[in-house]
Amino acid sequence: MSEEAFYESVHAYFDRAALYSKFDAGILQQVKDCNAIYRMKFPVREDDGSIRVVEAFRAEHSYHRLPTKGGIRFSRMVSLNETIALASLMTYKCALVGVPFGGAKGGVKISPSQESEGFRERVTRRYTAELIRKNFIGPDIDVPAPDYGTGEKEMGWIVDTYKNIRMNEPNIYACVTGKPLAMQGIPGRTQATGQGVYFGLRSCLERPEVAKKLGLSPGLAGKRVILQGLGKVGYYAAKHLQQDGGAVIVGVSEQEGGIHNPEGLDIPALFAHRQETGSVLDYPGAENVDRAALLEYSCDILIPAALENQITAENAPRIQAKVIAEAANGPVDQAGDAILCQRGCLVIPDLFLNAGGVTVSYFEWLKNRAGVSFDRMISRHEEIANRNMVAAMETLTGQTLSVSHRDSLIHGPDELRLVVSALEQTMIRAYDRIHEVWLQRDLPDLRTAAFLLSIERVAESYSHHGIFP
Ligand code: NAD
């Protein structure tokens, strides 16, 4: 079963990296195991008045830091072991990018595209009530976020349900992230994971030694990219790669099929086309192709941004991309990974590459706890300093700046700019550190380096814990 393969892959990646760790086996076992699991079944009324029993999960993988944090997935493929594997990846990715949370994940077994909005709302509110009942949600306990099949709307229903049940608690808006702006969300969260994929890929491929080994020129400009999954993560990753990095998106694979154009696809226009027609197929200038076969087409970078186990021993020998950018969680299983590495393909691992989402979720959580937006605290202060600087420049040079030039110098960053620059800095720093560990400890690949770095950070934290009877 694919969810078993994913669970086993995450454990195998952990075990491979743990071989290089200085920590003893007991601490490593504690880092690896999932701390708590809540499995539930609850009744939800269908639109026609009948009752459906829905199965759902929440896994809190690691209490070395609190709160725990992780998205909620709506998919008919959700299972307990998939949820645990995803929760453990959350622990490792938080440790990697310096987000002070343990990992968690939620899963609800419904197929969101086939449900009405009313049914999804009733499921989300009931799931939230179940989490509250068992103390599996709260600003200092466990903080969900969007994942596959969920978005701002669901996060809005969660905070509204929480607020109405726990109205006397402080910081209630910090009980969930990825909320709409009007419900104390933060600008830049929706695009954060995809934009982080762009920053992470750029940090890696601008290294001349990495590019040379792959037979590529350094940087992203002109690189041919194939994307799987034009959802929240995939869309923004491709958009930023195209618009900010100068990459050429030559293929996009979706559930309904794939499209290919060696001259490049305009990602925002393609997104609009899919919204209008319900499909990526028949996009002007592109050829309709098989969605699975497209992953094996010639390109420099392949970005799986849909689900786990998309590259396995079955198709890995035919993959032509030189770089696999794991925007999704677990898109390459361990057998596929071994084949790709042996063929000289560089896999940029999920626990690093898609950590932009939790990074910006952390900013949202901080903002909710502070009860004030970031720019509000600094913009007036910076504006006064900048105004004084511009006045001094004008006095010294005897020249007056144009109104637009003056404005751009005086006004400080807005909240979105602050969020994006902090996200960029986080992804650059994390990559630098992984790269350093990769080389210094002579590790076989980037994934082992990323796992080792995060395992040791979590283990370090556990080794200071008291063990209570
Ligand atoms: P999403 O639901 O917004 O988009 C996923 C897209 O993949 C959908 O458009 C779907 O139709 C498509 N898809 C599904 N199966 C496919 C297939 N076989 N071939 C081609 N396309 C297929 O989900 P998302 O939030 O973008 O999440 C995608 C992945 O990224 C998941 O693995 C998720 O766990 C991971 N992730 C998401 C976030 C986040 O902030 N949303 C953060 C970190 C990691």
Side-chain angles (χ1 to χ4, degrees):
M1 278 166 75
S2 69
E3 66 268 22
E4 292 307 320
F6 175 42
Y7 180 80
E8 279 162 20
S9 288
V10 175
H11 279 186
Y13 294 145
F14 180 100
D15 292 342
R16 193 173 66 187
L19 290 175
Y20 298 89
S21 171
K22 61 181 190 293
F23 285 92
D24 73 47
I27 293 270
L28 292 173
Q29 192 65 44
Q30 175 59 31
V31 176
K32 184 176 171 183
D33 284 345
C34 186
N35 290 181
I37 296 157
Y38 179 23
R39 177 186 193 151
M40 65 203 96
K41 285 195 176 188
F42 48 78
V44 182
R45 201 167 290 284
E46 300 265 20
D47 294 341
D48 66 5
S50 62
I51 298 287
R52 189 188 327 168
V53 177
V54 173
E55 185 175 22
F57 309 93
R58 183 76 183 169
E60 294 176 344
H61 174 259
S62 180
Y63 294 149
H64 75 291
R65 293 272 166 86
L66 286 172
T68 50
K69 181 115 193 58
I72 296 175
R73 175 173 289 195
F74 280 7
S75 158
R76 72 189 147 80
M77 308 295 286
V78 155
S79 73
L80 179 60
N81 276 347
E82 181 197 68
T83 311
I84 294 172
L86 288 164
S88 67
L89 278 178
M90 283 306 297
T91 295
Y92 310 137
K93 80 180 70 162
C94 287
L96 209 52
V97 291
V99 168
F101 297 145
K105 204 77 181 192
V108 180
K109 215 170 166 129
I110 61 167
S111 189
S113 59
Q114 280 156 34
E115 311 294 356
S116 70
E117 183 166 316
F119 185 77
R120 284 188 287 120
E121 177 172 353
R122 291 191 291 280
V123 167
T124 307
R125 289 185 182 280
R126 179 61 194 249
Y127 178 66
T128 309
E130 291 290 333
L131 295 178
I132 293 171
R133 204 146 73 109
K134 295 280 183 192
N135 229 12
F136 266 68
I137 184 172
D140 296 309
I141 298 170
D142 185 356
V143 183
D147 189 70
Y148 185 92
T150 58
E152 275 189 5
K153 230 176 218 170
E154 286 76 12
M155 303 307 117
W157 293 325
I158 291 174
V159 75
D160 186 59
T161 308
Y162 192 87
K163 198 166 69 147
N164 283 298
I165 298 179
R166 291 274 168 91
M167 59 178 67
N168 295 323
E169 257 187 24
N171 305 319
I172 38 180
Y173 284 97
C175 74
V176 64
T177 59
K179 303 178 291 291
L181 269 180
M183 295 184 86
Q184 313 283 322
I186 196 165
R189 174 59 185 90
T190 308
Q191 60 265 44
T193 310
Q195 195 166 13
V197 168
Y198 159 66
F199 289 137
L201 251 171
R202 190 190 66 186
S203 300
C204 179
L205 292 186
E206 70 190 8
R207 299 239 176 189
E209 73 275 24
V210 173
K212 193 173 166 205
K213 219 170 157 188
L214 296 165
L216 297 170
S217 58
L220 292 168
K223 300 289 179 302
R224 294 165 308 135
V225 176
I226 290 178
L227 171 76
Q228 182 197 40
L230 193 67
K232 297 183 294 296
V233 176
Y235 169 69
Y236 285 107
K239 178 171 174 271
H240 286 287
L241 278 162
Q242 181 175 62
Q243 293 180 349
D244 305 334
V248 184
I249 317 297
V250 296
V252 171
S253 170
E254 252 297 340
Q255 301 206 57
E256 61 274 12
I259 54 164
H260 184 250
N261 182 351
E263 302 302 315
L265 302 159
D266 183 286
I267 291 300
L270 173 62
F271 189 78
H273 169 83
R274 187 168 191 244
Q275 292 224 304
E276 208 174 289
T277 65
S279 168
V280 293
L281 298 175
D282 302 326
Y283 179 68
E287 184 194 354
N288 291 342
V289 297
D290 179 76
R291 75 173 191 199
L294 182 58
L295 307 188
E296 299 163 16
Y297 278 39
S298 171
C299 66
D300 300 309
I301 305 169
L302 173 62
I303 309 183
L307 283 171
E308 50 266 18
N309 299 324
Q310 298 302 304
I311 301 173
T312 63
E314 196 281 313
N315 60 356
R318 299 188 300 276
I319 299 283
Q320 297 188 53
K322 295 176 174 152
V323 179
I324 309 291
E326 290 191 329
N329 284 309
V332 180
D333 77 358
Q334 52 171 325
D337 190 63
I339 294 167
L340 292 172
C341 292
Q342 194 240 333
R343 293 180 56 223
C345 179
L346 179 74
V347 180
I348 309 182
D350 46 9
L351 66 161
F352 159 64
L353 201 61
N354 68 32
V358 75
T359 301
V360 174
S361 274
Y362 173 44
F363 303 151
E364 182 176 334
W365 181 83
L366 288 172
K367 169 183 171 174
N368 294 154
R369 298 181 70 90
V372 65
S373 64
F374 292 110
D375 58 335
R376 184 158 176 193
M377 292 303 286
I378 65 161
S379 62
R380 187 68 190 144
H381 172 80
E382 287 210 338
E383 197 175 310
I384 292 166
N386 293 345
R387 215 174 267 284
N388 289 339
M389 184 192 70
V390 168
M393 267 169 52
E394 288 182 337
T395 309
L396 278 172
T397 61
Q399 289 182 7
T400 306
L401 294 172
S402 69
V403 174
S404 65
H405 203 170
R406 248 176 154 263
D407 273 359
S408 71
L409 284 172
I410 287 173
H411 296 298
D414 58 17
E415 194 172 29
L416 178 60
R417 284 210 194 123
L418 284 170
V419 165
V420 172
S421 62
L423 168 64
E424 182 174 15
Q425 179 72 351
T426 302
M427 295 304 291
I428 292 172
R429 273 206 192 142
Y431 183 75
D432 286 350
R433 189 69 191 108
I434 298 168
H435 196 92
E436 197 180 287
V437 168
W438 185 26
L439 299 187
Q440 279 178 359
R441 296 177 72 168
D442 199 20
L443 299 170
D445 49 44
L446 273 177
R447 193 190 309 276
T448 307
F451 262 90
L452 180 60
L453 193 53
S454 45
I455 288 172
E456 297 218 315
R457 286 181 178 166
V458 181
E460 181 67 35
S461 166
Y462 269 125
S463 62
H464 294 290
H465 282 207
I467 308 293
F468 298 105

